[in-house]
Amino acid sequence: MTTVNATQYTAPIMSKSITISDIELYTETKRTLPLSRQYVVEFSVGATAKQTQIAKETKNRTFWNDRTIHFDGDDRSDFVVKVYQKHRFESDQLVGSLHDTVGGVLGQLKDGVSKQTLSAGASNGSDLSSRTIKFALTVKPSERSNANELQARDAVVMATKTVVAVSSRPRVVDLVTSVVESGPAAMTEVQTFATTWDVLLERLKLFDTIVTKIAEIHPYVSLAWSVISTVNKALIDQKDRDGQISRLASTMNDVFEFVENAGLLKTIEPHIKNITPLIQQVTECGYFIAAYSKETSFSTRAVKYTFSDINAKITDYDSKLRELKTKFLEVVTLQTGIACVRTEITVVRIMNVVEHIQETIDLTDILYAAGARYSEDKGCLPGTRKILLREICDILNNPSDDAPRVCLLTGVAGSGKSAVAHTIAQLYDGQFRLGSSYCFASGDVARRNPANLFSTIARDLADVDVQYRSALWSIVKGNQALRRAETPAEQIKRFIVEPIENFDAIGPIVVVIDALDECGEPADRARLLAAMSEQISEGKLPTNLRFLFTSRPENDIMNAFSSCPHVIHKQMGDVSAMTVDEDIEKFIYHSLHSYRELESSWPHNEWCQLLVQRSQRLFQWAATACNFIRDTGGVGLTPDEGLENILKNDHQAIVDPLDNLYRTVLNRLFQRDDTRRRFQAVMSIILALREPLSLSSLLALRPFNSVSDTKVRAILRPMASLLDGVLEDDKPIRPLHASFRDFLLDQNRSLTHHVPIPPHHSLLLGRALLACMQKMLRFNICDLNDTPRRNSDVPNLLSRVNTAIPHHLSYSCLYYMDHLQHSDPTPDLVNDITLFFKNFFPYWLEAISLLSHSSVSPILSALETCTILQHWSQWVG
């Protein structure tokens, strides 16, 4: 490795902006065939790699003078250059490389240019050439812009070079004369729709290139392309739309005209992240036009709604586009740099309009799974899974009447299915196209189960669209039994299919259902699958209601959908191994790159590559390993020692990689027999819970027998790499991934760390819940006025209930008999329950009534408790 002049670099290590330009490759040919070759150069700084375009050799020289590459790094960052020769029918061949540090290369610069002979790559026997690479290298202290933003600016420069070609086509709109001039005055004569649309697609494609590295905006640009590229231009051009559709297309085209104006493009670029609402509105217009590019769809709607109705929608779209563009360009003109366009976009999901909804609609007694919604922090790392996400979006956006209604994404445990589901949900939520999201969890089956799946989706859809809300209410009003229906077959038919079957929808309404394999007991799952497959097979789901299901490839789930004509199956395993490795590498580097100890022990990012190799393409393995390495301070290890611990124990090829990692972590945390037994005692309670409880709630219940509060904390706190919620007192504790729960409950997998749930522990938990109610329940627990009135008429009742009935008490009221039924009915236990009912039964009913103010689930739980008591008493008798 080259030594850097110490007198020249004595300043503290700091992040710098690194720019590479004027790249040239010289090849000293030593072969008989004088054929020109094609090359691509890959530069890497740290864990980030970027490539040039393919360039053709001319007289032994290859130039990339128009390519500028930006990185973030410092003097100690690894600097790697790899030169690949392209082949038509064979894989690319590495023909030369250079390995150094940024500081090392800087020390050898002459007039800002590096010129070095490359180390020979793999020889194919016919090419013995030596190669020299030359490039300009500039290193400056980092300013506010990072490498991705600088790369986007260079993409702008490159994009402007295509302006001449694009601008030679028939123009739709004159270029703006100033950055704020936008409106009808700027419009010129409109060309044909097809011509307009071609230019729009070209501009959108160009814009996609410009923002490809900007994670905040690129997914929405990609979504816009997915929608707009599906439009059938020929059918629209054949129809006389009174010029309205073409006018809307022209306005959409006008949005992207800045990509063809180099001066305007430079002015806009620093504010490009503020353009998201404008892109979202273009996507909505694309949904509208795609719907009307279908022959039968337009003919039917034109008769039903008349052109004036349709034109009113188009006018709304057109006006909103102009408004959003004006606001965006005002931000650019003011040069604030931090302002955001916050105007709501115009979204038309259903053409039917309910003019006046006079009656009060109350859907609160329809079952609802609180907490089942997607979570932003559980999505994919920005910049990963791009190809898979775009493919799924293409499926969900397909406007064809015979398009798949359901995308079923399957993969093994830990492959990243849920992250994809959460990302898709977030993307369509941002587009105001998410109907609902529902995430099953094996550790929370009491609140998330087939009995409230479609009822939850229905209430979410009612919140999204007022027309749907009104239609649903017309079906369930005056029918309390229907509103409280629990069977999936009845719910999907009455709550989903019937309310929306007569609507004329524009664009997709997306419903994401994650972890279908974790939905509950086999019998409950069978009923759910039967209900869904029946509606899908018979084609009763509305054409625009699109579902994304994720699941492990369980036999019953695969069989349920295998013969359904409107289901498309995608597998995580179909993604190329190279792509998955690259995404996992990005994730690991993002999680751990700040720990310098890792680079010191495994230089040149070897630490990152070692983890990628060990992951076996399982994202959950990578996430758990990164969490363990970050949190090893809790068990007396430095990050490099944590990694060494993983590598040392990760050698059993026949063992599932996740199981092996779980064993490694638990062996490190609980080495002694007494701490292992304490771990099993604590975890058996956590795994036995019907819904997750926080640490403060668990300690308030004290179900751990002889394990003190201090020891419970000592067990749980170091498990942050495996459990969520252990670092905060008031956050529910649950396994970070369902595979960890499965691992602990399966003795063949967890071995000495097996966590059984014996009847004795159910008794401990049930008695703790009984004691909690006896201690806290009382008459008029919320201190309400004596005046008789309905709960719904009490102001601020929900906050008063939450204060008077904390989570551990509400859990006790709901589930005490659910736990006690698994224990032996001894005389002492029977006596305790009898005394409870004699002394506290009215107070328990009052608590159930108060808890049911915002949900009917407590009432159903109380009914279940009474049923259990009835069977139990008969058994005792």
Side-chain angles (χ1 to χ4, degrees), residues 660-702:
N660 205 20
L661 181 60
Y662 291 149
R663 292 179 194 172
T664 298
V665 174
L666 293 176
N667 284 333
R668 182 66 206 181
L669 295 177
F670 310 112
Q671 299 179 16
R672 291 166 25 194
D673 290 342
D674 59 338
T675 57
R676 189 179 297 117
R677 287 193 296 270
R678 198 176 299 150
F679 155 79
Q680 292 168 326
V682 172
M683 287 304 302
S684 67
I685 296 297
I686 291 176
L687 296 183
L689 293 172
R690 291 294 306 276
E691 62 182 65
L693 290 176
S694 66
L695 182 58
S696 60
S697 293
L698 285 170
L699 296 180
L701 290 173
R702 301 183 62 83

Side-chain angles (χ1 to χ4, degrees), residues 52-320:
T52 65
Q53 302 295 323
I54 300 173
K56 191 173 183 179
E57 179 186 54
T58 303
K59 295 182 179 180
N60 293 357
R61 295 185 182 276
T62 313
F63 298 92
W64 293 269
N65 293 331
D66 59 345
R67 177 61 166 157
T68 303
I69 302 176
H70 296 280
F71 292 97
D72 294 323
D74 55 50
D75 293 343
R76 297 188 304 182
S77 298
D78 291 319
F79 188 95
V80 180
V81 182
K82 295 181 180 179
V83 177
Y84 294 91
Q85 182 178 345
K86 305 293 290 186
H87 296 284
R88 185 184 298 271
F89 301 110
E90 301 176 7
S91 58
D92 297 347
Q93 178 190 1
L94 177 65
V95 295
S97 62
L98 167 67
H99 295 265
D100 208 328
T101 64
V102 172
V105 177
L106 284 173
Q108 301 179 60
L109 293 182
K110 293 183 179 180
D111 298 325
V113 175
S114 174
K115 182 177 181 181
Q116 301 192 47
T117 301
L118 299 174
S119 300
S123 174
N124 61 7
S126 60
D127 187 356
L128 302 177
S129 308
S130 64
R131 293 173 174 83
T132 301
I133 191 155
K134 185 170 70 172
F135 53 87
L137 180 68
T138 304
V139 178
K140 298 179 180 179
S142 287
E143 300 174 354
R144 185 169 61 183
S145 299
N146 59 28
N148 287 341
E149 292 168 337
L150 292 172
Q151 203 68 52
R153 294 183 186 182
D154 281 341
V156 169
V157 175
M158 292 176 64
T160 59
K161 294 184 179 181
T162 66
V163 169
V164 175
V166 177
S167 300
S168 63
R169 301 181 180 185
R171 299 303 303 275
V172 181
V173 185
D174 288 335
L175 291 174
V176 290
T177 57
S178 72
V179 292
V180 294
E181 182 180 357
S182 177
M187 295 289 295
T188 60
E189 183 179 355
V190 177
Q191 306 292 325
T192 66
F193 177 88
T195 302
T196 304
W197 208 252
D198 282 340
V199 177
L200 171 61
L201 287 172
E202 187 69 30
R203 288 173 170 175
L204 186 57
K205 184 178 180 181
L206 196 57
F207 189 58
D208 182 78
T209 301
I210 293 171
V211 301
T212 186
K213 296 293 185 179
I214 304 177
E216 295 90 339
I217 183 176
H218 185 257
Y220 290 103
V221 178
S222 180
L223 184 63
W225 173 263
S226 174
V227 174
I228 292 174
S229 61
T230 64
V231 170
N232 189 327
K233 302 189 294 290
L235 281 179
I236 287 187
D237 236 11
Q238 292 170 9
K239 293 289 181 180
D240 178 11
R241 302 290 191 258
D242 290 343
Q244 297 301 307
I245 289 290
S246 293
R247 177 168 62 87
L248 179 59
S250 295
T251 305
M252 294 165 66
N253 203 340
D254 183 44
V255 167
F256 297 102
E257 63 187 352
F258 62 81
V259 302
E260 297 179 7
N261 184 325
L264 186 56
L265 194 58
K266 280 289 187 182
T267 305
I268 286 176
E269 189 276 329
H271 311 276
I272 207 73
K273 293 179 182 178
N274 291 322
I275 205 172
T276 300
L278 193 52
I279 303 302
Q280 291 174 320
Q281 189 62 67
V282 169
T283 303
E284 282 304 313
C285 296
Y287 282 133
F288 184 86
I289 293 177
Y292 285 89
S293 69
K294 296 185 291 186
E295 180 81 22
T296 55
S297 173
F298 182 83
S299 300
T300 301
R301 288 167 176 159
V303 172
K304 185 173 182 179
Y305 298 110
T306 76
F307 279 100
S308 61
D309 296 328
I310 298 170
N311 288 347
K313 302 295 184 187
I314 296 174
T315 299
D316 289 343
Y317 280 129
D318 189 86
S319 299
K320 181 59 67 172

Side-chain angles (χ1 to χ4, degrees), residues 345 622 624 689 737 751 773 810 818 870:
I345 68 173
T624 303
L689 293 172
H737 195 263
L751 304 179
M773 290 189 293
S810 66
D818 185 82
Q870 182 181 15

